[in-house]
Amino acid sequence: MSRPDGSRRLLALALAALALPGCATSASRLAPERPDKPWVPQTNAAGEIVPGKNSRQAPGAGPGAGFVLPATPAPAEQARAPAVDTGRLYTLPELINLAASNNPTTQVAWNDARRAALAAGIAESAFLPRITVGAIAGYQAGNTYQSFGVQPLTPVGFNNNGTLSGTVSAVSLQWLLFDFGERAALVDAAEHASLVSNILFTAAHQKLIYTVSLAFYRHAAAQARLKTAVQSLKNSQTIQAAADDRYKQGVGTVVEVAQAKQVAAQAQLGKVQAEGAAQDAYLTLVTVIGIPYTTRLRIGDVSGRPLSAAMIGPVETLIRETLTRRPDIQSAYADQKISLAKMRAAQSSFMPKLFVSATGTYNSGNLNITAMPSVGQELPTLNVNGNQLGGSLLAGITFPLYDGGTRSAALAQARIDVDSSKARLTQVRDEAIRQIVLADNALHTSLAGYEAARTLAAAAQTTFDAALAAYRSGTGSVMELAFAEAQLAQAKYAVSEAYSTALAAAATLALATGLLGSAPT
């Protein structure tokens, strides 16, 4: 009787497996071929770039295509329908409320806070038992060839074919009862991490309030500059009209008329530039709010707000009363708590752990297996032979003896993190004090500059009025009048800029002290 060729078949299968290409290494074809050669991606029928092997350069592309990606369909923009009233006059607090609902940063900060809260819940679940249920059904088939014989007799062989089947059902419980505070320390760390996320959520809103406030003040300043440019154009047209009258009366010259037209043209250019700056400021404002740039809002005026240096208290009082309100200081303090909790968890890893485990099984069939396969969950080792219902309850203790220094290194890292968190807290506190002092100085300086600009504008207005009267009476020149008008425009620009700068400095100080919880007052 001939020997079956089962071993030959196994050998052929092994050789075929070796001949298969290496999927992991062959994936390098997805990357660009060379560091100095453009990557030409594959596209589908819609023109969208899809993963795949580098495409060949299109015949019509030529070398000029270079490192330029093909045009692909733009991703569908999520429809946003902000609840805005285009006929309403929006004040700064209302714009801030609108931004809180539409700017993506608040949504991201909220999601981070919720994710951290769920992480704390996951850490707390370590105190609960783990229960696993599994079932498996199997089928086995075998072909056995045996031979025997004594020389010089011819060997005799037998074939033995058979099939087996069976099922296994199991439920297991694992419960860590005591671990000397390791899980409690990890829960403490996770809860403080959630606290940090909540603090950062508040910080995100404060930064959004600050950003919207600055954009609002810049928009107000741009509108004020546009108003000044319009008035400057009117003044220049008045100068031109006066030059024309003098020329018609025979007391003026062509040069004076030309100079007056030049002043008016310069003012017209200034008006056009001011209009462009105002449009840019409006675009920045609506973008910060998080609404489409095509939305048209009526923005309120802020020019009536009084400013005075007497409204600011001593900087020492600000530091003493507001320093600990800053989100960065509070989050740095919570980070220190996290590092301390992680150090306690690392220390607890050196201690034993007490656990309990229970298993219930039901076996049916005659499978010849030595272990129950698992995917993702660890199940008990079983043999299936006949019908059997069984269960077990175990309690034990584990004590780590040697791990190659892993726990010692982890503990050393935790202690380093504790030291670093203390240093970071000191660093953040020092930086916060520096920012408060700088913001306080900037606010005092901007308020003083605002008062000086107002005085300058009043004097420039008087000078222009006098120069205009003198020119009309024939005692002044058109260049003196043009110079006076230019100085007046510059002084009014300085007033609007100083006013906006003072408001922005006040918002900066409120942010630096951690008090910017709503629109600046």
Side-chain angles (χ1 to χ4, degrees):
M1 182 177 296
S2 62
R3 179 183 299 271
D5 56 348
S7 61
R8 297 178 181 176
R9 295 176 181 176
L10 292 176
L11 179 60
L13 289 175
L15 293 176
L18 292 175
L20 293 175
C23 295
T25 56
S26 63
S28 61
R29 72 184 189 281
L30 300 176
E33 296 180 3
R34 295 171 46 125
D36 57 344
K37 185 177 180 180
W39 170 64
V40 184
Q42 286 187 347
T43 56
N44 57 18
E48 181 183 1
I49 296 178
V50 295
K53 185 179 178 181
N54 291 334
S55 300
R56 293 183 177 180
Q57 187 80 14
F67 296 90
V68 178
L69 294 175
T72 59
E77 183 178 357
Q78 184 177 0
R80 292 185 296 170
V84 297
D85 184 1
T86 56
R88 181 178 181 179
L89 190 66
Y90 280 87
T91 61
L92 178 56
E94 293 169 334
L95 292 176
I96 290 174
N97 292 335
L98 195 61
S101 302
N102 293 276
N103 192 292
T105 57
T106 58
Q107 181 72 30
V108 172
W110 182 50
N111 289 337
D112 291 342
R114 292 193 297 165
R115 188 183 300 108
L118 292 175
I122 294 173
E124 292 176 353
S125 67
F127 286 93
L128 301 176
R130 294 292 184 266
I131 301 176
T132 304
V133 178
I136 187 171
Y139 173 83
Q140 283 182 328
N143 186 345
T144 304
Y145 175 81
Q146 296 179 345
S147 63
F148 61 91
V150 179
Q151 296 293 341
L153 299 178
T154 301
V156 180
F158 297 94
N159 285 325
N160 184 15
N161 300 325
T163 61
L164 299 174
S165 63
T167 61
V168 180
S169 302
V171 57
S172 62
L173 178 145
Q174 295 179 348
W175 197 354
L176 179 61
L177 299 180
F178 188 69
D179 61 355
F180 286 89
E182 182 176 359
R183 290 172 297 173
L186 294 177
V187 169
D188 189 21
E191 289 179 345
H192 277 87
S194 176
L195 175 61
V196 170
S197 295
N198 294 339
I199 293 173
L200 295 179
F201 171 76
T202 302
H205 275 272
Q206 289 186 359
K207 291 180 180 178
L208 180 61
I209 293 171
Y210 177 69
T211 305
V212 173
S213 299
L214 292 188
F216 177 78
Y217 297 148
R218 292 191 185 102
H219 177 266
Q223 291 296 326
R225 287 193 293 270
L226 177 58
K227 183 178 179 181
T228 300
V230 171
Q231 183 60 47
S232 178
L233 178 59
K234 291 181 180 180
N235 294 339
S236 300
Q237 292 171 347
T238 301
I239 296 174
Q240 184 178 356
D244 291 337
D245 290 340
R246 284 171 53 87
Y247 181 74
K248 291 178 181 178
Q249 294 174 6
V251 295
T253 64
V254 177
V255 176
E256 289 182 351
V257 174
Q259 290 173 340
K261 289 182 178 180
Q262 179 182 351
V263 172
Q266 187 68 33
Q268 179 65 34
L269 176 60
K271 177 178 174 294
V272 172
Q273 293 174 340
E275 288 175 345
Q279 293 175 359
D280 292 343
Y282 176 82
L283 176 61
T284 301
L285 179 58
V286 296
T287 303
V288 167
I289 294 173
I291 59 179
Y293 66 92
T294 55
T295 306
R296 303 309 304 175
L297 293 180
R298 295 179 60 223
I299 309 299
D301 188 12
V302 74
S303 59
R305 179 175 298 180
L307 299 179
S308 173
M311 302 168 62
I312 312 172
V315 65
E316 294 80 6
T317 304
L318 286 174
I319 295 174
R320 182 175 63 254
E321 296 180 354
T322 65
L323 184 63
T324 56
R325 291 180 180 270
R326 286 177 58 110
D328 54 351
I329 291 181
Q330 293 189 5
S331 60
Y333 183 69
D335 283 335
Q336 183 179 357
K337 296 279 189 178
I338 294 174
S339 61
L340 289 172
K342 289 183 177 181
M343 186 180 68
R344 295 197 303 271
Q347 292 172 339
S348 300
S349 65
F350 288 86
M351 306 303 292
K353 293 178 175 59
L354 181 64
F355 68 92
V356 63
S357 174
T359 304
T361 61
Y362 177 73
N363 313 327
S364 176
N366 295 285
L367 285 176
N368 184 19
I369 63 176
T370 59
M372 184 175 181
S374 64
V375 178
Q377 298 291 337
E378 188 67 27
L379 293 174
T381 300
L382 299 169
N383 290 319
V384 183
N385 189 2
N387 298 329
Q388 181 179 359
L389 180 66
S392 63
L393 177 64
L394 303 173
I397 185 172
T398 62
F399 191 88
L401 294 179
Y402 180 74
D403 59 0
T406 302
R407 288 168 299 149
S408 298
L411 179 58
Q413 288 179 332
R415 288 171 174 166
I416 293 174
D417 290 340
V418 171
D419 292 338
S420 297
S421 65
K422 292 180 180 179
R424 279 193 297 269
L425 179 57
T426 302
Q427 181 182 15
V428 170
R429 184 183 293 111
D430 294 342
E431 176 63 19
I433 295 175
R434 187 187 71 86
Q435 291 179 2
I436 292 175
V437 174
L438 288 178
D440 181 76
N441 293 337
L443 180 55
H444 280 88
T445 302
S446 60
L447 289 174
Y450 173 65
E451 292 297 330
R454 291 179 61 190
T455 303
L456 176 63
Q461 182 67 55
T462 302
T463 301
F464 172 74
D465 294 339
L468 179 59
Y471 180 70
R472 284 175 173 172
S473 63
T475 59
S477 68
V478 67
M479 293 307 298
E480 291 176 348
L481 180 56
F483 180 77
E485 195 283 325
Q487 292 297 311
L488 176 60
Q490 291 296 327
K492 289 184 176 180
Y493 285 150
V495 171
S496 60
E497 188 67 26
Y499 186 78
S500 174
T501 302
L503 293 176
T508 303
L509 181 59
L511 179 67
T513 54
L515 298 176
L516 194 62
S518 58
T521 57

